[in-house]
Amino acid sequence: MNESRLLFETAVLKRYFANKFLFTIDGRKEVLLVGVKSQSGNIYQIRIELSEIYPIEMPTAFIVYPKGLKTFKGKKLPAFSHEMHILENDAKGVQICHFVPGNWNPNQSLYKVVLKVKIWIESYEGHLKNGKSINDYLQC
């Protein structure tokens, strides 16, 4: 990410997630780590991976903490699920579908990605209470 974009993203994130985010490098990838608290008080860590051409290419977003997220029935979340808006579920974490790829454009911000993942988290916690799919909450 170029320096001016990094300054922009950092300023926006500082405003809403002060002291709860970190930009770092993991191998060849730039990564944004963000800690969020759900409405019910649970803590989650979001990992957003940026490609070398971000913001042209959409970033990927994972829930990396807590590990081993379960379904309403106590089973491991599926590896892929349209109804649950999950693209992968592996050792890296649960990859969340946060944007339809065709709707991504370079004007989107990491702040918006974090917000969409936070909405997923709130929907997930609703799923844990009543078994409804995340799609039922998001109406996509």
Side-chain angles (χ1 to χ4, degrees), residues 76-127:
K76 180 181 174 184
L77 283 175
F80 172 83
S81 172
H82 175 73
E83 285 190 340
M84 296 297 282
H85 292 251
I86 296 172
L87 297 174
E88 284 184 40
N89 185 3
D90 57 22
K92 199 184 254 189
V94 177
Q95 185 179 357
I96 306 303
C97 177
H98 55 85
F99 271 92
V100 174
N103 292 344
W104 178 261
N105 68 65
N107 293 325
Q108 305 292 354
S109 68
L110 293 174
Y111 170 72
K112 191 166 185 182
V113 173
V114 173
L115 282 182
K116 286 183 165 242
V117 175
K118 187 155 180 349
I119 291 167
W120 184 93
I121 288 168
E122 298 298 339
S123 300
Y124 169 71
E125 289 195 350
H127 162 76

Side-chain angles (χ1 to χ4, degrees), residues 34-62:
V34 182
V36 297
K37 185 185 279 191
S38 70
Q39 297 254 342
S40 62
N42 296 315
I43 303 295
Y44 294 82
Q45 185 177 52
I46 301 167
R47 175 185 172 101
I48 299 174
E49 297 180 351
L50 311 173
S51 76
E52 292 178 7
I53 60 170
Y54 174 81
I56 295 167
E57 186 174 85
M58 182 174 71
T60 56
F62 299 85

